[in-house]
Amino acid sequence: MKILVTGASGFLGGHLVDGALRQGHQVRALVRPGRAAVRLGSLPGVEVVTGDLTDGESLQRAAQGCEAVLHSAARVVDHGSRAQFEAANVSGTQRLLAAARSAGARRFVFVSSPSALMRVREGDRLGIDESTPYPRRWFNHYCETKAIAEQHVRAADGPEFTTCALRPRGIWGPRDHAGFLPRMVDAMRAGRLPDLSGGKPVLVSLCHVDNAVDACLRAAHAPAGRVGGKAYFVADREETDLWPFLARVGALFDCPPPAPRIPLRLGRALAAAVETGWHLRHRSAAGGTDASPPLSRYMMALLTRSATYDTSAAREDFGYAAPRTQADGLRALGEWVTEVGGVAAWTAGPAAPTDAAVPARSGPGPTEQGNTQS
C-alpha cells in the first residue's frame, strides 16, 4: 500500500515510517513546516510532504493517492488552552478524516491514548478493557480532546472507509528524546527525582515503540469487519511495577535511584503547587511556551495510579502479541543510548537536524507518546 504517516518527524511517527518500509509499503511522511526531515528524506520509498493539521488543503494534498493513513500527530503536552488542544487533536483529526475519505483512502488508524478514559478522581484499576465507558468529566484538555477525536474516528467508519483507534500506553524505546522515560532518567541523573510511589506498588502497562508499530500495521491490514469502528488497548506483555522499573532503567546508566520517598498526600499537594506556580509564571509569556511544568497533577496521577490494560481484544481481532519483550527492549535502548553518545546526549534532546521528536508529542509522563506524542 501507499501509506500516509502523520507526525512522521516524531518518535512514534518515525518508527511507523520504518515499520511500513520494512513491510514493503510506500510511505508519504507528513511533517510540519520547519521540521527537520533529513533522516526521512534519506530513506528509499519515502516521500516527504509538509502540512499541518490546521491546514485542510495541505492535508488534501498529502492524502492524495494514499490507501491508508496512520495518524500519530497530536498535542500531548499537559498544558495549554482548550482551543489549542481542540485545534490539534479534534479539528485536526476531523480535517484529516475528511481529506483521507475524499482522497479514496480505505483505512484510517488513529493513535489514541488510554488517557481518553482517565477520570479526575479515580483509584487503582487493573485489567481495564474496551468495555470501559468514556468519563463524563476528564482529567484535563488532553484527555478530553483525545477522547472526542477518538469518537469522531470511530463514528467515521463505513463500508468503504474503515477506521479504528489504538490506545498504546507509555510508549518507550530508541529515538525518544522527549517522552516520559528520558525525562525520568534525566531527573534521576541530576538527583532530583523523588520516589512518589508512597511506598505502594504502582502497576502499569507500558508499550515499547516496536509493539505500538506492530499493532498499528496489523490494524491497517486487518479485515474491515473485525476492526471497523473499534478502539483497542495496546501494551507490552509485561505488567510493570513502575518505580522499580525506573530505578532499573536508571541503573543501566549509572543514575541514582529515585529518592527520597514522598508520602502520596504530600506528593499530590506538591504537584498542585508546582503546576499552579508554573502557570502563573508562564501565563503572560508572548505566544505561550512549549515547555511542560516540571510536575503536574496529571503527571502525578500517571506516576502514582496503578493502571493496567487487557489487550486480548487486539490479539483476537488482528493478532497483536507484543513481539518485543521488555528485557529485549531495554537491551536495545542501552545500545542505542551508547550509539548516540551516552545518557547526557539522550536526555538533552536530538542534535539538529534529526527527526527524533516533535514538541507536540513530548508528553510529561507515561502517556502514549514520548508522540509523542503522540
Side-chain angles (χ1 to χ4, degrees), residues 95-114:
R95 290 189 190 94
L96 187 62
L97 281 166
R101 188 190 294 111
S102 175
R106 300 182 64 84
R107 186 63 55 99
F108 190 103
V109 179
F110 174 61
V111 180
S112 185
S113 168

Side-chain angles (χ1 to χ4, degrees), residues 94-145:
Q94 290 177 297
R95 290 189 190 94
L96 187 62
L97 281 166
R101 188 190 294 111
S102 175
R106 300 182 64 84
R107 186 63 55 99
F108 190 103
V109 179
F110 174 61
V111 180
S112 185
S113 168
S115 292
L117 305 182
M118 192 172 177
R119 291 161 172 81
V120 176
R121 292 183 176 85
E122 188 171 65
D124 297 338
R125 300 188 67 196
L126 304 179
I128 301 168
D129 65 20
E130 288 79 5
S131 67
T132 303
Y134 296 107
R136 293 184 178 179
R137 183 185 175 199
W138 283 270
F139 200 99
N140 58 18
H141 294 323
Y142 169 68
C143 300
E144 181 177 7
T145 55

Side-chain angles (χ1 to χ4, degrees), residues 96-358:
L96 187 62
L97 281 166
R101 188 190 294 111
S102 175
R106 300 182 64 84
R107 186 63 55 99
F108 190 103
V109 179
F110 174 61
V111 180
S112 185
S113 168
S115 292
L117 305 182
M118 192 172 177
R119 291 161 172 81
V120 176
R121 292 183 176 85
E122 188 171 65
D124 297 338
R125 300 188 67 196
L126 304 179
I128 301 168
D129 65 20
E130 288 79 5
S131 67
T132 303
Y134 296 107
R136 293 184 178 179
R137 183 185 175 199
W138 283 270
F139 200 99
N140 58 18
H141 294 323
Y142 169 68
C143 300
E144 181 177 7
T145 55
K146 288 299 283 188
I148 294 170
E150 179 183 289
Q151 291 175 80
H152 282 302
V153 169
R154 297 175 68 180
D157 180 68
E160 303 298 325
F161 187 59
T162 302
T163 67
C164 63
L166 302 185
R167 300 165 174 167
R169 167 69 188 269
I171 302 179
W172 63 283
R175 304 213 305 263
D176 177 18
H177 289 273
F180 90 95
L181 198 54
R183 292 187 64 179
M184 296 296 104
V185 170
D186 187 47
M188 281 188 283
R189 179 169 167 266
R192 52 180 172 80
L193 180 65
D195 180 346
L196 299 171
S197 68
K200 74 179 184 73
V202 181
L203 303 178
V204 298
S205 295
L206 301 176
C207 189
H208 189 276
V209 67
D210 289 350
N211 293 335
V213 169
D214 178 79
C216 287
L217 291 172
R218 286 180 178 274
H221 288 286
R226 298 189 71 88
V227 302
K230 297 181 180 179
Y232 296 92
F233 290 114
V234 177
D236 294 338
R237 304 175 199 175
E238 299 85 357
E239 187 177 88
T240 300
D241 191 345
L242 179 60
W243 287 92
F245 172 77
L246 291 176
R248 179 184 173 195
V249 175
L252 292 176
F253 307 108
D254 298 320
C255 300
R261 178 171 291 168
I262 304 295
L264 279 176
R265 185 171 295 180
L266 177 59
R268 288 167 181 152
L270 177 64
V274 169
E275 182 178 12
T276 299
W278 184 92
H279 282 296
L280 289 173
R281 286 194 302 272
H282 290 84
R283 182 174 295 168
S284 60
T289 176
D290 278 332
S292 294
L295 187 63
S296 66
R297 297 172 182 88
Y298 178 58
M299 187 191 304
M300 187 69 185
L302 291 169
L303 294 173
T304 60
R305 291 182 184 178
S306 289
T308 63
Y309 299 92
D310 183 348
T311 63
S312 58
R315 181 177 64 250
E316 293 168 5
D317 285 359
F318 51 87
Y320 173 72
R324 177 75 83 167
T325 66
Q326 190 174 94
D328 189 33
L330 286 174
R331 282 194 295 270
L333 178 64
E335 293 170 358
W336 174 79
V337 170
T338 299
E339 290 174 5
V340 299
V343 66
W346 172 31
T347 58
T354 68
D355 307 295
V358 172

